[in-house]
């Protein structure tokens, strides 16, 4: 039987990144993916002729530019394009456009509140300061705070130095920031509810927290710490859909000799004498390797594709209790034309951005209440973008597709399991809401893909449909991710590693988890490191 | 009140497309080119740059200089002026050329359009009527007409540009090869009202449209109607400068100083220094600068324009280059630099002393961090090919975006 150097379970973008870096170091690697397509939650799929959906993730900002450059992803077909600002819709009929251009944005904010227009400068400055600190940790392995190894101490010192550089006052603010809610954080800056709602919305995306829940301020930061070409907080589209990212990484992986197998779901990780030695596939095949890397979330890895008896005590329970709650839905809609929205000027600089159906802080909190009660929100928060308004390759000319991300939608319903009929009713709730802001919208619909947490889990195997492979709360961040003591990508079984978003720095299409894990693996193998240093240090 | 504009004579001229472009120039970001008011950008330079790389954009080239060069001696005269051999040019073809002083120093670069056996159009960035006349010494049967104000010209560049022109009704445009010229009727007119060349300054798929000024706005409107579903957007100087650098194209006052405007001895450049040796054809008979250029070829240029990929992400604008990391041995200077959003690399063009090209190259980059000046030393790697070379730029027909 062929012996590989490494098996990577799952061809999510992180698994592919991991494989690319191991292959670049000369290892003989194989990626095994259960689906017929690669990319996991970063995928492009043509489900209706001529329309290419980014079925799951849809915009990009956390992607490490250093990796894009280092793996030559442009040559492998990747083009990231920043898109213009978002129009936020309030319950009171007002709209707030976050223009791409600073001066224009300022004038527009003043129309809502001169006070808030002024505060926005301070808000952006503070967020950038926080973001800059976190950004520096993305392509680094978190230190183990309990260890006295020189490397951990060095890394702790690095973090301490970065924190101290904030100055005493900001240091306190920063620590507070990790535990407060998005709404509280924003209260210090803004008066206008629509402005607050618009700014708070990134704080609830993908999380089972509300705008008033402690911890949502950090989620907000997680969504603005990325950048496109150095513009922190900007978001971009991948030309050809998010799958273009995964496909480019796969190209780089193959260029270095890596092998990728689809329709090859892993049934179990094989452990012999406390060491991972390979995997058995769903079809019964067995593959052997010196190293096994899981791209699956922590819960799935330890509770579904491992034998409980192979695990040291405690780990199974940690995995079982890993906080990974589904809270989001996604509805992808093919349209026969560009929808028009009430109260939005008809011009290219606004048409080509996104839409945020935020309503108000109260509306968003009420939407969260539904989730708590095991229902999908009847008046949900929807974050939308029309990629085809920008990308000529994802819909026929003049036709469009709209990506709608919905908060909230629970993975378990109070009234029994998800059914196709319930899924469709959820989809209906979403288009009913959009129709209110865009009369005639429904007439444009030619195809819909409705994804509840149930479909997300069934499709890409994100447990409960949690988009981040585990909540991004302080108890599951940095050296606590996925579990305290296991934040350095090595798992309790020898020769076994994790490289998915369940590890630091968490969810989002960043390539960082996969790259960090590769660096640790190469270190253990005493091979030269192929993973580049991040380029964000002299910002 | 007297409403006469007392400053009418001092104001910048408006191009034939100005009425439409002014509406879209939300930021009033105007600069100037050859006396014309000229957009630096319209809304956001980076956005416009991405239109060129992702969909398509239009760039106003009315201010570019255009000369009709006609007559039985036209070809011979031009062939003596420029360094490239244009004697074998086919009709309805364009070629990129440069021309030099007797000392072999570059005066300007531009394009020659062969429109008939005795009819050419020369385009270039700066006025050159004076030099044309001087270069005609000894040729009696050639006339020069400055057409700069008399032709409306608009460049359309980017992956969807061919589709937009097809939608505009330009039948067969997809068969145009790079540097081809085609003629089309326009707006019900018979004959060849609209000239289209497959040329541009972005390194991407693109075309340039040439039409009579009175049809300029009709052309704009029709083009924008066709381009509506293909992401059409005007772009200005700032975006052009980004795109051309990725394509490795040179700019006056960046990579070269026009010889006729250079005060200091040899502060201008030769084609060899600018990596344009391929434009110099010693097989043809005498041409301007030939003897000096032969010498230059044999001894090798002192400097060579080089494409650099620089570590880190700080654009190396105006940086000095050294052969050692300690920055004690200076070997050249950066002429243009930027972060390339498509390639995701820190790119630059640089003039480097030829003898040092084989060794290490380090850039000392100065940048500012909230008013504090900082510097860093970054390693540079030479790139042989242009940074951005999409296959569609050369393919005929260009595959649909
Ligand atoms: C609806 C949605 C919207 C999102 N929006 C955004 C966004 O706009 N921007 C952003 O940055 N992030 C977004 N995210 C988050 C982001 O997509 C994910 O965090 C990221 O893609 C996860 O990548 P990964 O490689 O870590 O894991 P995954 O993409 O989850 O990859 C895991 C892979 O393992 C495979 N697999 C599972 N089980 C097995 C098995 N037994 N055997 C073999 N293979 C298996 C899966 O099929 C999958 O391919 C979104 C996520 C979702 C779900």
């Amino acid at each position: 039987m062929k012996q590989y150097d490494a098996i990577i379970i799952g061809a999510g973008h992180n698994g592919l990144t991991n494989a690319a870096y191991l292959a670049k170091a000369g290892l003989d690697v194989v990626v095994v993916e259960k689906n017929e397509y690669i990319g996991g939650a970063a995928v492009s799929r043509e489900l209706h002729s001529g329309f290419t959906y980014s079925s799951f993730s849809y915009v990009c900002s956390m992607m490490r530019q250093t990796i894009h450059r280092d793996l030559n992803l442009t040559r492998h077909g990747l083009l990231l394009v920043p898109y213009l600002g978002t129009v936020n819709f309030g319950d009171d009929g007002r709209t707030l456009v976050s223009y791409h251009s600073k001066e224009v944005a300022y004038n527009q904010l003043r129309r809502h509140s001169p006070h808030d227009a002024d505060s926005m400068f301070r808000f952006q400055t503070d967020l950038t300061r926080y973001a800059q600190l976190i950004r520096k940790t993305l392509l680094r392995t978190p230190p183990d705070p309990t260890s006295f190894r020189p490397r951990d101490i060095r890394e702790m010192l690095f973090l301490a130095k970065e924190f101290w550089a904030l100055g005493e006052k900001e240091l306190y603010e920063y620590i507070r920031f990790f535990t407060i809610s998005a709404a509280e954080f924003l209260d210090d800056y803004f008066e206008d509810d629509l402005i607050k709602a618009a700014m708070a919305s990134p704080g609830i995306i993908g999380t089972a927290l509300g705008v008033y829940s402690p911890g949502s301020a950090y989620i907000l930061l997680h969504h603005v710490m990325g950048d496109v070409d150095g513009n922190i907080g900007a978001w971009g589209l991948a030309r050809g859909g998010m799958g273009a990212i995964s496909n480019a990484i796969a190209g780089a992986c193959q260029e270095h000799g890596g092998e990728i197998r689809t329709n090859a779901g892993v049934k179990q990780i094989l452990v012999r004498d406390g060491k991972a030695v390979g995997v058995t596939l769903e079809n019964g095949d067995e593959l052997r390797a010196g190293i096994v890397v899981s791209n699956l979330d922590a819960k799935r890895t330890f509770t579904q594709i491992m034998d409980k008896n192979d695990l040291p005590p405690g780990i199974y329970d940690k995995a079982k209790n890993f906080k990974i709650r589904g809270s989001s839905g996604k509805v992808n809609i093919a349209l026969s034309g560009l929808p028009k929205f009430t109260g939005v000027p008809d011009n290219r600089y606004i048409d080509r951005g996104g839409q945020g159906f935020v309503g108000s802080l109260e509306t968003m909190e009420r939407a969260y209440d539904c989730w708590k009660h095991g229902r999908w929100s009847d008046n949900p928060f929807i974050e939308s973008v029309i990629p085809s308004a920008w990308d000529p390759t994802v819909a026929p000319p003049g036709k469009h597709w709209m990506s709608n991300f919905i908060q909230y939608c629970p993975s378990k319903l109070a009234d029994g399991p998800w059914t196709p009929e319930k899924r469709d009713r959820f989809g209906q709730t979403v288009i009913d809401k959009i129709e209110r802001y865009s009369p005639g919208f429904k007439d444009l619909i030619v195809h819909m893909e409705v994804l509840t947490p149930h479909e997300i889990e069934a499709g890409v195997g994100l447990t409960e449909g949690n988009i981040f492979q585990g909540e991004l709360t302080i108890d599951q961040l940095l050296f606590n991710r996925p579990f305290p003591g296991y934040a350095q990508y090595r798992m309790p079984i020898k020769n076994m590693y994790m490289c998915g978003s369940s590890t630091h720095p968490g969810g989002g299409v960043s390539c960082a988890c996969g790259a960090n894990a590769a660096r640790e693996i190469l270190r253990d193998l005493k091979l030269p490191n192929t993973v580049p240093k991040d380029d964000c240090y002299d910002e | 009140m007297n409403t006469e504009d007392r400053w009418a004579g001092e104001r910048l001229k408006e191009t034939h497309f100005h009425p439409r472009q002014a509406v879209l120039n939300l930021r009033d970001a105007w600069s100037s080119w050859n006396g014309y008011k000229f957009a630096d950008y319209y809304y956001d330079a980076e956005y416009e740059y991405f239109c060129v790389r992702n969909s398509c954009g239009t760039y106003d080239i009315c201010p570019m200089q255009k000369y009709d060069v006609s007559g039985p001696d036209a070809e011979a005269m031009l062939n003596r002026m420029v360094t490239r051999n244009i004697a074998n040019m086919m009709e309805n073809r364009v070629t990129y050329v440069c021309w030099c002083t007797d000392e072999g120093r570059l005066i300007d670069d531009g394009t020659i359009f062969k429109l008939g056996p005795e009819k050419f159009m020369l385009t270039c960035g700066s006025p050159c009527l004076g030099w044309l006349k001087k270069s005609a010494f000894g040729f009696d049967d050639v006339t020069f007409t400055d057409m700069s104000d008399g032709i409306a010209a608009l460049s359309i560049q980017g992956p969807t540009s061919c589709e937009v022109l097809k939608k505009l009704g330009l039948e067969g445009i997809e068969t145009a090869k790079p540097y081809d010229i085609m003629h089309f009727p326009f707006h019900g007119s018979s004959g060849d009202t609209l000239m289209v060349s497959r040329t541009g300054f972005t390194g991407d798929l693109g075309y340039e449209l040439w039409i009579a000024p009175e049809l300029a706005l009709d052309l704009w409107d029709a083009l924008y109607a066709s381009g509506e579903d293909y992401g059409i957007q005007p772009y200005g100087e700032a975006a052009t400068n980004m795109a051309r650098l990725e394509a490795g194209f040179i700019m006056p006052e960046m990579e070269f100083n026009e010889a006729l405007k250079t005060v200091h001895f040899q502060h201008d450049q030769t084609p060899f220094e600018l990596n344009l040796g391929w434009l110099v054809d010693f097989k043809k008979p005498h041409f301007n600068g030939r003897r000096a250029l032969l010498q230059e070829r044999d001894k090798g240029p002192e400097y060579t324009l080089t494409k650099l990929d620089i570590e880190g992400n700080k654009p190396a604008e105006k940086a000095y280059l050294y052969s050692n990391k300690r920055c004690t041995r200076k070997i050249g200077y950066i002429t243009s630099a930027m972060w390339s959003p498509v390639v995701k690399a820190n790119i630059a063009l640089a003039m480097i002393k030829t003898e040092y090209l084989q060794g290490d190259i380090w850039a000392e980059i100065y940048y500012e961090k909230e008013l504090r000046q900082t510097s860093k030393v970054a390693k540079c790697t030479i790139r042989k090919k242009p940074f951005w070379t999409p296959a569609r730029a050369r393919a005929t027909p260009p595959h649909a975006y």
Side-chain angles (χ1 to χ4, degrees):
Chain A
M1 189 194 299
K2 177 168 178 185
Q3 171 86 12
Y4 288 95
D5 292 328
I7 298 171
I8 290 92
I9 309 170
H13 83 285
N14 274 317
L16 293 167
T17 306
N18 187 261
Y21 277 111
L22 295 184
K24 197 175 173 192
L27 298 192
D28 188 3
V29 303
V30 61
V31 183
V32 284
E33 164 59 48
K34 76 171 172 71
N35 287 327
E36 66 191 16
Y37 56 86
I38 60 163
V43 68
S44 307
R45 303 192 71 202
E46 185 175 336
L47 299 180
H48 187 71
S49 177
F51 295 85
T52 303
Y53 295 149
S54 292
S55 282
F56 305 96
S57 61
Y58 48 103
V59 285
C60 173
S61 157
M62 286 169 227
M63 175 77 191
R64 297 291 76 215
Q65 185 172 280
T66 317
I67 291 175
H68 186 150
R69 182 180 189 179
D70 186 65
L71 290 180
N72 271 316
L73 299 186
T74 299
R75 190 158 46 72
H76 291 289
L78 179 57
L79 180 67
L80 295 181
V81 191
Y83 69 92
L84 300 180
T86 296
V87 187
N88 286 288
F89 296 88
D91 286 335
D92 52 8
R94 287 188 300 153
T95 57
L96 179 78
V97 186
S98 56
Y99 285 96
H100 196 64
S101 145
K102 264 194 201 140
E103 290 82 350
V104 184
Y106 176 70
N107 287 344
Q108 127 99 20
L109 282 170
R110 277 187 69 84
R111 289 198 287 275
H112 289 278
S113 157
H115 170 274
D116 289 4
D118 174 357
S119 285
M120 188 60 86
F121 293 108
R122 184 166 64 91
F123 177 70
Q124 296 292 4
T125 305
D126 289 351
L127 263 191
T128 306
R129 186 181 308 117
Y130 297 163
Q132 249 164 4
L133 205 160
I134 286 286
R135 286 162 64 76
K136 291 184 186 165
T137 71
L138 297 179
L139 267 190
R140 301 177 85 104
T141 300
D144 180 346
T146 64
S147 141
F148 290 104
R149 280 183 312 168
R151 194 171 159 233
D152 286 306
I153 293 172
R154 252 199 327 272
E155 201 58 25
M156 280 306 279
L157 284 174
F158 165 79
L159 284 183
K161 189 170 139 258
E162 291 293 327
F163 271 97
W164 278 115
L166 290 172
E168 195 178 347
K169 170 178 161 271
E170 292 301 335
L171 182 62
Y172 286 126
E173 287 294 323
Y174 198 58
I175 291 168
R176 197 174 77 97
F177 180 79
F178 271 93
T179 53
I180 61 174
S181 71
E184 281 170 295
F185 176 57
L186 292 161
D187 274 340
D188 190 41
Y189 300 89
F190 303 117
E191 296 173 348
D192 184 274
D193 189 71
L194 178 57
I195 294 179
K196 280 194 213 175
M199 295 298 128
S201 65
I204 57 168
I205 287 186
T207 181
L209 298 174
V211 284
Y212 289 104
S213 314
S216 52
Y218 174 75
I219 312 283
L220 195 165
L221 182 62
H222 193 82
H223 282 118
V224 300
M225 73 184 169
D227 71 290
V228 181
D229 296 310
N231 299 314
I232 298 184
W235 285 83
L237 298 165
R239 195 173 199 258
M242 293 298 276
I245 298 177
S246 306
N247 294 341
I249 305 169
C253 174
Q254 284 159 338
E255 177 191 338
H256 292 296
E259 184 186 333
I260 298 166
R261 286 201 210 171
T262 51
N263 293 314
V266 167
K267 202 160 141 216
Q268 196 172 346
I269 297 179
L270 295 172
V271 179
R272 297 280 176 275
D273 306 323
K275 288 184 192 145
V277 295
V279 298
T280 22
L281 300 182
E282 301 282 1
N283 67 8
D285 286 0
E286 217 178 278
L287 298 179
R288 294 285 178 143
I291 275 176
V292 177
V293 190
S294 172
N295 181 196
L296 277 50
D297 66 63
K299 188 159 182 175
R300 230 176 177 68
T301 302
F302 293 107
T303 66
Q304 296 207 0
I305 59 163
M306 293 200 75
D307 186 338
K308 198 174 167 182
N309 298 321
D310 286 335
L311 294 170
I315 286 295
Y316 182 85
D317 292 328
K318 278 202 171 99
K320 204 173 71 168
N321 297 330
F322 185 59
K323 210 160 50 175
I324 181 160
R325 306 171 295 198
S327 62
S328 324
K330 178 86 192 292
V331 177
N332 302 311
I333 308 176
L335 299 163
S336 59
L338 192 64
K340 299 260 173 274
F341 296 94
T342 315
V344 178
D346 177 13
N347 81 51
R348 68 186 69 231
Y349 301 126
I350 301 176
D351 289 349
R352 293 188 196 172
Q355 296 78 31
F357 301 92
V358 292
S360 65
L361 285 177
E362 160 123 24
T363 301
M364 286 198 271
E365 186 65 8
R366 296 264 170 262
Y368 180 43
D369 290 341
C370 294
W371 180 86
K372 286 186 256 174
H373 293 115
R375 291 185 274 118
W376 64 81
S377 313
D378 39 25
N379 185 14
F381 159 59
I382 309 176
E383 179 180 86
S384 309
V385 55
I386 304 178
S388 50
W390 238 119
D391 181 348
T393 69
V394 292
K399 306 218 163 42
H400 292 277
W401 86 269
M402 185 174 183
S403 159
N404 304 284
F405 184 90
I406 299 104
Q407 266 334 96
Y408 297 78
C409 187
S411 62
K412 291 186 199 73
L413 294 172
D415 65 356
W418 277 99
T419 60
E421 188 268 329
K422 288 183 195 169
R423 177 199 63 205
D424 292 346
R425 272 201 286 133
F426 165 70
Q428 194 61 39
T429 307
V430 173
I431 57 174
D432 285 346
K433 171 141 187 179
I434 299 172
E435 174 83 21
R436 290 210 292 281
Y437 295 88
S438 177
F441 177 79
K442 287 185 192 171
D443 301 335
L444 299 175
I445 299 177
V446 293
H447 178 264
M448 267 169 73
E449 179 190 28
V450 182
L451 304 167
T452 71
H454 179 76
E455 281 76 28
I456 295 174
E457 172 154 15
V460 273
L462 287 161
T463 301
E464 291 198 25
N466 181 290
I467 78 164
F468 299 130
Q469 284 202 355
E471 285 282 5
L472 296 174
T473 44
I474 184 98
D475 55 318
Q476 296 191 160
L477 281 175
L478 215 67
F479 31 72
N480 293 331
R481 192 167 185 87
F483 324 124
Y486 294 100
Q488 298 183 333
Y489 308 93
R490 295 172 191 81
M491 289 304 124
I493 305 290
K494 211 168 164 358
N495 299 341
M496 184 194 156
Y497 298 81
M498 277 180 64
C499 74
S501 304
S502 273
T503 60
H504 171 77
V509 178
S510 69
C511 298
C513 312
N516 288 343
R519 192 179 47 239
E520 293 305 314
I521 294 168
L522 293 173
R523 193 185 172 86
D524 289 353
L525 294 176
K526 302 201 165 46
L527 287 173
N529 177 27
T530 48
V531 180
K533 268 212 174 78
D534 211 343
D535 67 6
C536 67
Y537 294 100
D538 46 32
E539 270 163 1
Chain B
M1 199 179 76
N2 185 359
T3 55
E4 188 195 327
D5 181 359
R6 281 184 287 155
W7 292 281
E10 344 269 320
R11 287 189 201 281
L12 291 169
K13 288 189 289 185
E14 294 176 351
T15 78
H16 307 300
F17 299 107
H18 185 78
R20 297 293 182 273
Q21 294 178 152
V23 174
L24 294 169
N25 197 324
L26 299 186
R27 311 295 302 284
D28 286 322
W30 300 105
S31 57
S32 64
W33 182 14
N34 290 335
Y36 279 100
K37 195 170 185 177
F38 191 68
D40 194 14
Y41 59 96
Y42 289 82
Y43 179 71
D44 179 83
E46 205 191 355
Y47 165 68
E48 288 152 31
Y49 153 85
F50 270 109
C51 288
V52 172
R53 295 292 182 233
N54 174 49
S55 52
C56 71
T58 66
Y59 180 64
D60 186 353
I61 47 174
C62 290
M64 193 166 69
Q65 301 298 291
K66 310 161 200 80
Y67 301 98
D68 176 287
V69 182
S70 293
D73 284 344
E75 180 179 293
M77 175 266 148
L78 283 172
N79 217 15
R80 194 182 68 185
M81 178 174 120
V82 304
T83 60
R84 200 171 188 180
N85 191 357
I86 64 155
N88 303 323
M89 255 182 103
M90 309 281 270
E91 239 172 79
N92 285 320
R93 288 282 293 167
V94 185
T95 193
Y96 174 56
V97 294
C98 69
W99 50 98
C100 296
T101 61
D102 284 344
E103 294 73 36
R105 319 298 298 182
L106 186 87
I107 295 175
D108 205 350
D109 63 350
T111 50
I112 290 178
F113 289 57
K114 184 162 181 176
L115 302 172
E118 297 181 356
K119 187 173 168 62
F120 297 84
M121 179 170 79
L122 174 75
T123 75
C124 50
S126 297
C128 85
L129 198 53
W131 188 255
L132 276 172
K133 292 220 164 128
K134 270 202 185 334
S135 306
F137 182 77
F139 293 108
D140 299 329
D141 261 349
V142 54
T143 58
F144 306 112
T145 318
D146 186 343
M147 305 293 294
S148 302
D149 300 333
I151 299 178
L154 190 67
S155 183
I156 174 166
Q157 302 281 310
T160 60
S161 54
C162 184
E163 289 305 306
V164 174
L165 296 184
K166 276 202 253 177
K167 191 145 181 234
L168 185 65
L170 307 190
E171 242 167 82
I173 186 65
E174 67 280 3
T175 63
K177 292 197 269 308
Y179 295 107
D180 271 357
I181 299 172
M182 290 177 85
H183 303 268
F184 300 94
F186 179 71
H187 253 215
S189 73
S190 57
D192 299 338
T193 327
L194 173 65
M195 178 169 96
V196 181
S197 53
R198 187 167 164 189
T199 45
F201 199 49
T202 58
D204 219 304
L205 174 65
Y207 303 82
E208 289 170 330
L209 314 180
W210 314 79
I211 202 162
E214 53 283 9
L215 290 173
L217 295 182
D218 285 343
L219 174 65
W220 180 281
D221 294 340
L223 192 68
Y224 271 72
S226 307
E228 176 67 23
D229 293 332
Y230 296 90
I232 198 168
Q233 158 76 24
Y235 66 98
E237 190 56 31
T240 300
N241 201 22
M242 294 172 77
R244 71 88 199 173
L245 175 48
E246 289 175 337
F249 298 150
I250 57 170
M251 272 289 228
E253 290 179 41
M254 305 280 281
E255 279 66 40
F256 70 98
N257 211 45
E258 296 169 42
L260 302 182
K261 299 178 184 165
T262 303
V263 176
H264 299 288
F265 180 61
Q266 294 198 343
H267 277 231
D268 43 19
Q269 288 73 24
T270 70
F272 291 103
E273 287 182 324
L274 290 162
N275 236 331
L276 297 178
W278 60 281
L279 287 187
V280 185
D281 188 346
F282 291 112
K283 286 198 227 80
K284 72 172 182 174
H286 185 73
F287 60 91
N288 235 346
R290 187 174 201 274
R291 196 178 317 146
L293 287 170
L294 257 180
Q295 263 183 16
E296 166 100 349
R297 182 195 67 182
D298 294 343
K299 87 171 181 354
E302 186 188 359
Y303 282 91
T304 303
L305 185 73
T306 309
K307 300 178 199 63
L308 295 180
D309 187 338
I310 303 175
E311 70 177 2
N313 57 14
K314 292 284 171 237
E317 268 161 10
K318 305 245 153 96
Y320 284 129
L321 299 172
Y322 299 86
S323 65
N324 57 343
K325 196 176 180 181
R326 281 172 41 236
C327 297
T328 51
R329 208 175 318 113
K330 204 178 278 177
I331 58 169
Y333 57 94
I334 298 282
T335 58
S336 306
M338 70 182 263
W339 172 259
S340 160
V342 286
V343 191
K344 295 278 179 276
N346 193 16
I347 64 172
L349 292 177
M351 274 295 196
I352 302 177
K353 289 210 172 121
T354 310
E355 58 182 304
Y356 289 103
L357 285 179
Q358 306 305 326
D360 280 4
I361 302 171
W362 297 88
E364 187 177 25
I365 303 172
Y366 282 84
Y367 63 100
E368 187 203 278
K369 198 161 155 178
E370 300 194 314
L371 297 186
R372 255 192 237 180
Q373 289 293 331
T374 324
S375 72
K376 64 184 273 186
V377 177
K379 190 158 176 51
C380 308
T381 310
I382 294 181
R383 292 273 173 259
K384 289 274 181 258
K385 291 214 189 89
F387 305 102
W388 178 247
T389 47
R392 62 179 175 246
R394 292 175 306 275
T396 309
H399 24 88
Y401 41 95

